Amino acid sequence: MDSAEYEAKIASRFAAFDQDGSGYIDREDFSGAAAALLAEFGTTARSDKGQALYNGAEAFWQGMAGIADVDGDQRVSRQEFVTGAVKRLRDNPDRFAEIARPFLRAAIALADEDGGGVTRASAERALRVLGVEPEAAAQVAAELDVDHDGRIHEGEILSGFAAYYVTPEP
């Protein structure tokens, strides 16, 4: 994948983070995603899981802002997002997974309704709430279950997340 193709891929991922469609990624996009997930899984913001999700969302926002908000205006434009990914993440996709880990770990705990790992159905629900089209959500949930045990575990989610957002395809 050449540089222009990679930049186009990253630019297409921008909308997944711009939850409110403002044209920027900001703190509210992350807290809004957390609120939507809590509502979907019937969990209150004041619960331990709710607090963990909001704290994870804030940590994720801070990590993204640290990588991409070059002008310090507390929002990330599409161009800042692409530039940040190309300069800081293309050769180190695990860094992005680490930035996302607190949020993803809390989302996993929320969606793991019986303690055995996230089911495909729960993963689909979470993905749809985050703006993924239903057909794509089903496909992604199936692909995330790398070991085909019917459950999606943290390692599978982190790898899939990093691959989707910042890893160039071969």
Side-chain angles (χ1 to χ4, degrees):
M1 173 178 284
D2 69 25
S3 189
E5 290 173 320
Y6 180 73
E7 287 184 27
K9 172 191 173 175
I10 298 304
S12 73
R13 304 312 194 232
F14 177 85
F17 285 107
D18 182 16
Q19 293 279 303
D20 62 10
S22 68
Y24 292 92
I25 302 168
D26 57 22
R27 176 177 277 112
E28 288 74 31
D29 290 312
F30 288 86
S31 61
L37 283 168
L38 290 173
E40 176 66 24
F41 289 95
T43 304
T44 65
R46 291 185 182 250
S47 69
D48 289 344
K49 286 183 177 184
Q51 289 298 296
L53 191 63
Y54 275 113
N55 290 339
E58 178 62 21
F60 195 0
W61 160 245
Q62 291 295 328
M64 181 176 290
I67 287 172
D69 184 17
V70 294
D71 62 10
D73 66 353
Q74 292 297 299
R75 60 186 192 169
V76 175
S77 70
R78 177 186 294 274
Q79 188 56 51
E80 286 175 318
F81 183 75
V82 171
T83 301
V86 169
K87 286 185 176 178
R88 296 184 179 97
L89 301 173
R90 183 176 186 166
D91 295 326
N92 189 4
D94 291 337
R95 183 172 181 208
F96 196 58
E98 287 306 312
I99 291 167
R101 185 183 297 273
F103 178 74
L104 292 174
R105 183 171 280 155
I108 291 165
L110 186 67
D112 182 356
E113 298 175 292
D114 65 6
V118 178
T119 64
R120 287 183 185 180
S122 289
E124 285 181 48
R125 286 173 58 197
L127 289 165
R128 285 193 311 267
V129 165
L130 296 174
V132 177
E133 295 295 323
E135 284 184 22
Q139 179 181 347
V140 169
E143 290 173 2
L144 284 173
D145 184 14
V146 176
D147 62 7
H148 307 290
D149 68 353
R151 299 294 178 128
I152 305 165
H153 304 281
E154 183 175 318
E156 293 168 319
I157 290 171
L158 288 171
S159 298
F161 185 83
Y164 180 77
Y165 283 103
V166 297
T167 303
E169 284 92 5

